Amino acid sequence: MDFDSANKSCSFCGFQGTSETRFAGGLGAMMCVDCLEFYHHKFSSPERLETISRPPWDKMSDTEILAKLPLIADTATQVNGFLGEWVQMARERNLSWAEIGQALGVSRQAAWERFAGSKVRKNSSTA
């Protein structure tokens, strides 16, 4: 798996990591230290939590909404890459395409078609 933080970005603010960046996260979503501190502060007391009554996009202009679209697309790419790495790990553990497909809610064939051409190294004929 790719542990290089320079290849990751914060799923909350879009900050692009560097080799020195530390991210918290899992399942493909990453959070930079600034966002971690911000949300920790917001969620650390009921009074502060009450200040989050509406989603932030409700107050955004059209220009701000459009500016966020590439960041959301980058996050989707990052999560999809993480999924591919996990499928690769599953194949390296000799889990079958049928098992992977079942876990993803798709057929064995659909899982194989989506992931066999990526970095998955195991024999694709394994059922």
Side-chain angles (χ1 to χ4, degrees):
M1 282 204 192
D2 181 8
F3 292 111
D4 185 356
S5 57
N7 297 330
K8 307 287 187 247
S9 62
C10 178
S11 303
F12 293 80
C13 71
F15 172 77
Q16 179 61 50
T18 68
S19 59
E20 292 83 35
T21 303
R22 299 189 83 171
F23 284 114
L27 302 181
M30 308 302 283
M31 183 180 275
C32 69
V33 173
D34 288 344
C35 285
L36 182 64
E37 290 173 354
F38 172 80
Y39 286 104
H40 173 72
H41 179 75
K42 280 289 189 187
F43 284 85
S44 64
S45 77
E47 295 80 27
R48 287 188 210 114
L49 190 56
E50 286 182 23
T51 66
I52 306 172
S53 60
R54 303 287 308 159
W57 49 84
D58 279 357
K59 296 179 182 177
M60 289 181 174
S61 69
D62 292 349
T63 301
E64 290 170 315
I65 293 286
L66 291 172
K68 295 295 182 189
L69 293 179
L71 300 175
I72 294 167
D74 289 345
T75 296
T77 299
Q78 181 169 280
V79 170
N80 281 326
F82 197 69
L83 176 59
E85 289 175 349
W86 275 72
V87 169
Q88 177 181 344
M89 181 174 54
R91 293 296 293 152
E92 288 171 352
R93 291 180 176 204
N94 294 317
L95 295 171
S96 71
W97 286 112
E99 291 170 303
I100 294 167
Q102 182 177 17
L104 293 173
V106 299
S107 69
R108 174 202 62 79
Q109 183 68 26
W112 180 85
E113 287 174 359
R114 179 171 178 189
F115 297 104
S118 62
K119 296 179 184 178
V120 177
R121 292 186 285 256
K122 287 292 178 182
N123 182 348
S124 62
S125 64
T126 304

